[in-house]
Amino acid sequence: DLGFNGTPKDMMNPEVGIFLSAKYLSRERDATLDEALRFYNTGRTDGTPHPDYVERAHRWLDRINSKNLVKNN
């Protein structure tokens, strides 16, 4: 369970999809969220993501959390 609390329409939001994908990858690979975001963006946990990608993803996470679409667990 990834903790998604939103509607099917909310799943169409790229911010939600990216966060849930990173959360899934972090669980499957026993990685930190930042490592999972880098993997999502580059295909490698040690890859260099696009400039500011991880920081933007964290801002998206803050917005998603403020809407209570995903439980933080």
Side-chain angles (χ1 to χ4, degrees), residues 19-60:
F19 173 71
L20 291 175
S21 298
K23 191 172 181 181
Y24 173 78
L25 287 170
S26 69
R27 285 186 182 173
E28 291 300 307
R29 296 184 161 270
D30 193 28
T32 67
L33 181 59
D34 286 1
E35 289 170 336
L37 288 166
R38 282 195 297 275
F39 183 81
Y40 180 88
N41 190 249
T42 67
R44 300 173 43 178
T45 55
D46 62 348
T48 301
H50 293 287
D52 299 322
Y53 178 79
V54 173
E55 292 79 12
R56 284 192 328 252
H58 279 281
R59 286 193 300 272
W60 294 337

